[in-house]
Amino acid sequence: MPRQAEGRSPVGRPGSRPATSVDVAKLAGVSRATVSHVLNGQVERFNTDTVERVRRAAAALGYVRSAAGRALALGRSDFIVVVVPNVTFIRLQDVVQTLSADIEKLGFTAVVHFSVAGPEGTGTDRLRHLLETLRPAGVLDLGGLTRADREFAAQAGCPVLPPDKPPFNVNEWLGFLQADHLRSRGYARIAYALLADERDDSYARARAASVAAFCAAEGMPPSVDVHVPIEPEGAQRALEALLEAHRPPFGVACYNDKVALALLFAARRLGLAVPDDVGVIGMEGADVGQVVSPRLTTVRSDVRAAMRPFRYALAQAYGGPASREDEPVFGKEAFAVLPGETT
Amino acid sequence: MPRQAEGRSPVGRPGSRPATSVDVAKLAGVSRATVSHVLNGQVERFNTDTVERVRRAAAALGYVRSAAGRALALGRSDFIVVVVPNVTFIRLQDVVQTLSADIEKLGFTAVVHFSVAGPEGTGTDRLRHLLETLRPAGVLDLGGLTRADREFAAQAGCPVLPPDKPPFNVNEWLGFLQADHLRSRGYARIAYALLADERDDSYARARAASVAAFCAAEGMPPSVDVHVPIEPEGAQRALEALLEAHRPPFGVACYNDKVALALLFAARRLGLAVPDDVGVIGMEGADVGQVVSPRLTTVRSDVRAAMRPFRYALAQAYGGPASREDEPVFGKEAFAVLPGETT
DNA sequence: GGGAACTGTTGACGCGCGTCAACGAGGCTT
DNA sequence: AAGCCTCGTTGACGCGCGTCAACAGTTCCC
């Protein structure tokens, strides 16, 4: 049986291998080098006619260049590793999805890496392995990278974005927003509620520190940190512990809306009046916090605006000339206190 | 200035290119072919001494094989694309994280792909592009793939897991659990609450259908579907609409815990007694549903047990001989009604 | 008219790896 | 001694691509 005639169809019939740049070159009647150049945007150096032929041929064959071949030739791949820290908020999915879309828009492919996946196998080892096999075009650090990991990546010739230390003081700002709101509502004492039982969370640390700094700067009593589990009895115990340090009324700035809700309902079960005895402000503006009664006071975040530093860093590093519209800092409009009924 | 002597250190000094199999071969005093064979597990064919030398050399150099080179030679990469459907539940992060870890354990790298990223650019195009550039070892479908996409992947020589249609009747089972619980609590009429304003969600459809089938089989009045937005006024309106179709008391099976909470508090604002007038059962056992008062009745899920079909499919397709302990169906223990105060 | 400068195009190499066919050495049989 | 098999090892090729140096063709200037 004679071998099937060279199958080249956009849809790729079963058995027909995918088109390569050789196929495109043949069909366009040019050399493979020309195809490569044209398809990589070296357009001015060629006849418009040639360019057109190549493009048409590529389209006709449904040509998609092989990531592997390109990576091998270039010495680096078109992947960008997104490092997601051990951080817990409901809208994390939005964040990842938004960033993935931005990355794809730049012609790269996002590979998300969770800083700490489980008990066994440190995230560091897994990350380093990833960097070495993948040789990605970059690492987008949402805050999960240790200094050592950053250096490792840099040494491996893999730029880490954003170039400054990742939190961008965003956590400082968030802590300030919460503390400032609480004080403006008349609370003279402030506490910060972290999530209990979580592995070290750099965001939480930074925000608690920011709240503490606010209190110090404003001459208020030092803020008290408390770890709150998302579970009724534990939350109640945490709140009781807090009551021993701070006499009501006081305000609690919470790591996220889940923590806030846990404290809110714990307070009611303990017979404390909200917001008179205890004020609670959450963080992130999760929809679930707005459907309960009383409606949670929180800090609403606009994911796209909050991601601006990351988009900026990506555009700066990989973007075309037209993608410089963003600024390197998150928009102040990214975060705003959403007044509710709990402060 | 003389070029630096061949830098080969595990940590990779700046400027020293990463070790390749050539380096390993040289250091071990064997050919590159041998290195490749040994490192791919062709152990019996070689002297134990040779094997040992190769392994030691690789370890000494911190050798990590290049994904690009391997992919190019093999004609397919070591990626597994995880297709995440347009589905909304709080613990989705857990699911993705768990699967990623399982995939890495098998020596592959997970690339998550969101079925629908945004308004512009259909997910299908992006997926197909991904399959063509990446030539992944497989696609793990959480339920977001259309039949056409599945066929496309198969034709491209890229196996789709799990082989059966993805939902594995898991949604049928979940709908049953909810409906059965409601009936056992004495509700003679049942409604199903989907998430409003979401693009088509196959999970939601399947579960609503399952609840409807339950009602029909049990001779109950047909279930009513209602779309609930996660926002107080909208939820209230949805509940009011429901009241026109069903006279209390009735039970509502909810798509997820957020929907359940929205309805729960909407009911209270409307002066309806929960659970006497309206029973509410959520889905997923999110911690946030357990800290509010009244505590939400819901279906608790054990992510690992629920992921079993996917782990099984992965092991079956790519796993070593020792990884067959799992069964192809999710464990019934994966999902259990968690009684609360709302039914 | 001969070289220089420029434009448009291409041949050829190498990236790192998997693998097939082939090889030498040693032991065995005929 | 010649042939055959097995065992352990390797040379060489190709995967698809980017890119450099070199090429033919044209225009220009002295």
Side-chain angles (χ1 to χ4, degrees):
Chain A
M1 188 172 90
R3 207 167 279 192
Q4 94 171 61
E6 287 215 0
R8 45 163 70 116
S9 78
V11 285
R13 287 197 295 279
S16 80
R17 55 162 184 51
T20 72
S21 56
V22 177
D23 302 323
V24 177
K26 265 187 222 154
L27 181 58
V30 298
S31 79
R32 216 183 47 69
T34 304
V35 172
S36 188
H37 283 135
V38 169
L39 263 35
N40 283 332
Q42 313 270 358
V43 195
E44 300 93 7
R45 307 181 9 189
F46 291 88
N47 265 336
T48 45
D49 163 58
T50 308
V51 171
E52 207 41 47
R53 278 217 315 285
V54 169
R55 286 192 174 148
R56 238 194 290 280
L61 296 179
Y63 170 70
V64 176
R65 67 183 165 204
S66 143
R70 182 177 164 86
L72 194 50
L74 243 42
R76 64 152 189 76
S77 69
D78 284 339
F79 292 105
I80 291 181
V81 175
V82 179
V83 179
V84 178
N86 176 43
V87 63
T88 309
F89 48 98
I90 298 179
R91 297 177 63 188
L92 184 58
Q93 185 188 351
D94 284 353
V95 170
V96 172
Q97 206 161 328
T98 301
L99 285 177
S100 292
D102 287 334
I103 286 173
E104 275 182 27
K105 215 165 293 165
L106 292 172
F108 293 87
T109 300
V111 173
V112 329
H113 169 87
F114 298 99
S115 253
V116 177
E120 86 282 14
T122 113
T124 289
D125 288 347
R126 288 173 40 246
L127 177 64
R128 297 192 174 189
H129 182 86
L130 212 56
L131 294 186
E132 285 172 326
T133 29
L134 244 48
R135 315 232 119 238
V139 174
L140 190 62
D141 177 21
L142 263 44
L145 246 46
T146 64
R147 184 151 301 284
D149 283 340
R150 294 198 136 229
E151 273 170 22
F152 179 86
Q155 277 190 349
C158 175
V160 181
L161 304 178
D164 311 321
K165 59 165 96 95
F168 262 105
N169 289 333
V170 71
N171 288 313
E172 196 176 305
W173 173 243
L174 292 176
F176 170 83
L177 277 180
Q178 289 183 309
D180 186 57
H181 172 81
L182 287 174
R183 204 204 38 172
S184 78
R185 300 292 293 167
Y187 299 96
R189 286 174 291 281
I190 295 186
Y192 191 83
L194 299 91
L195 200 49
D197 277 336
E198 284 290 319
R199 292 163 287 274
D200 178 61
D201 180 327
S202 56
Y203 285 23
R205 252 191 296 113
R207 292 182 198 162
S210 169
V211 169
F214 179 92
C215 292
E218 298 288 326
M220 300 166 72
S223 68
V224 176
D225 289 351
V226 59
H227 290 258
V228 180
I230 310 301
E231 159 255 320
E233 292 77 21
Q236 210 161 311
R237 276 196 299 276
L239 185 52
E240 283 168 346
L242 194 51
L243 284 169
E244 294 182 5
H246 268 337
R247 289 253 308 284
F250 57 83
V252 187
C254 299
Y255 172 69
N256 63 18
D257 282 353
K258 289 208 289 198
V259 169
L261 288 175
L263 282 181
L264 165 60
F265 285 93
R268 305 184 111 209
R269 275 191 290 268
L270 285 177
L272 292 166
V274 175
D276 290 342
D277 293 332
V278 177
V280 175
I281 180 170
M283 174 78 245
E284 76 177 323
D287 43 16
V288 66
Q290 301 307 303
V291 296
V292 304
S293 300
R295 258 191 16 255
L296 188 65
T297 298
T298 184
V299 178
R300 205 191 46 71
S301 61
D302 171 350
V303 171
R304 275 201 71 78
M307 292 293 99
R308 198 201 276 171
F310 298 103
R311 270 208 312 289
Y312 176 82
L314 285 171
Q316 208 67 8
Y318 306 109
S323 47
R324 297 287 157 82
E325 77 278 12
D326 267 327
E327 291 172 35
V329 293
F330 63 90
K332 291 280 196 232
E333 79 277 12
F335 305 102
V337 171
L338 177 62
E341 302 161 354
T342 60
T343 55
Chain B
M1 186 172 89
R3 205 167 279 192
Q4 94 173 60
E6 287 215 1
R8 45 164 68 116
S9 79
V11 286
R13 287 197 295 278
S16 80
R17 55 161 184 53
T20 72
S21 56
V22 177
D23 301 323
V24 177
K26 265 188 223 153
L27 182 57
V30 298
S31 79
R32 215 185 46 68
T34 303
V35 172
S36 187
H37 283 136
V38 168
L39 262 37
N40 283 332
Q42 312 271 359
V43 196
E44 300 93 6
R45 305 179 13 185
F46 290 88
N47 264 338
T48 46
D49 163 58
T50 308
V51 171
E52 208 40 48
R53 278 217 316 284
V54 169
R55 287 192 173 147
R56 237 194 290 280
L61 296 179
Y63 169 70
V64 176
R65 67 183 164 202
S66 144
R70 182 177 164 87
L72 196 50
L74 243 42
R76 63 153 191 76
S77 67
D78 283 340
F79 293 105
I80 291 181
V81 175
V82 179
V83 179
V84 179
N86 176 43
V87 63
T88 311
F89 49 98
I90 298 180
R91 298 178 62 187
L92 184 57
Q93 185 187 351
D94 284 353
V95 170
V96 172
Q97 207 161 328
T98 302
L99 285 178
S100 293
D102 286 334
I103 286 173
E104 275 183 27
K105 216 166 293 166
L106 291 172
F108 294 87
T109 300
V111 174
V112 329
H113 169 86
F114 298 99
S115 252
V116 178
E120 86 283 13
T122 111
T124 290
D125 287 349
R126 287 173 41 247
L127 176 64
R128 297 192 174 190
H129 182 87
L130 211 56
L131 294 187
E132 284 172 326
T133 29
L134 244 49
R135 315 232 119 238
V139 175
L140 190 62
D141 177 21
L142 264 43
L145 245 45
T146 64
R147 185 152 300 285
D149 283 341
R150 293 199 138 227
E151 273 169 23
F152 179 88
Q155 277 190 348
C158 175
V160 181
L161 305 177
D164 310 322
K165 59 167 95 96
F168 263 104
N169 289 334
V170 71
N171 288 313
E172 195 177 305
W173 173 243
L174 293 176
F176 170 83
L177 279 179
Q178 289 183 308
D180 185 58
H181 172 80
L182 287 175
R183 204 204 38 172
S184 78
R185 299 293 292 167
Y187 298 97
R189 286 174 290 280
I190 296 187
Y192 191 83
L194 299 92
L195 202 49
D197 277 337
E198 284 289 321
R199 293 164 288 273
D200 178 60
D201 181 326
S202 56
Y203 285 25
R205 251 191 297 114
R207 291 182 199 165
S210 169
V211 169
F214 180 91
C215 292
E218 299 287 327
M220 301 167 72
S223 68
V224 175
D225 288 352
V226 59
H227 290 258
V228 180
I230 310 300
E231 157 255 322
E233 292 78 19
Q236 210 161 311
R237 276 195 300 275
L239 186 51
E240 283 167 346
L242 194 51
L243 285 170
E244 294 181 8
H246 268 337
R247 290 251 307 284
F250 57 82
V252 187
C254 299
Y255 172 70
N256 63 18
D257 282 353
K258 288 208 287 198
V259 169
L261 288 175
L263 282 181
L264 166 61
F265 285 93
R268 304 182 113 208
R269 275 191 291 268
L270 285 177
L272 292 166
V274 175
D276 290 342
D277 293 331
V278 178
V280 174
I281 180 170
M283 174 77 245
E284 77 178 323
D287 42 17
V288 66
Q290 301 306 304
V291 295
V292 304
S293 301
R295 254 188 21 252
L296 188 66
T297 298
T298 185
V299 178
R300 205 190 46 70
S301 63
D302 172 349
V303 171
R304 275 201 71 78
M307 292 293 99
R308 197 201 279 172
F310 298 103
R311 271 208 313 288
Y312 176 81
L314 285 170
Q316 208 66 8
Y318 307 108
S323 46
R324 298 284 158 84
E325 76 278 10
D326 266 328
E327 290 171 33
V329 293
F330 63 89
K332 291 279 194 230
E333 78 278 12
F335 305 102
V337 171
L338 178 61
E341 301 160 355
T342 61
T343 55

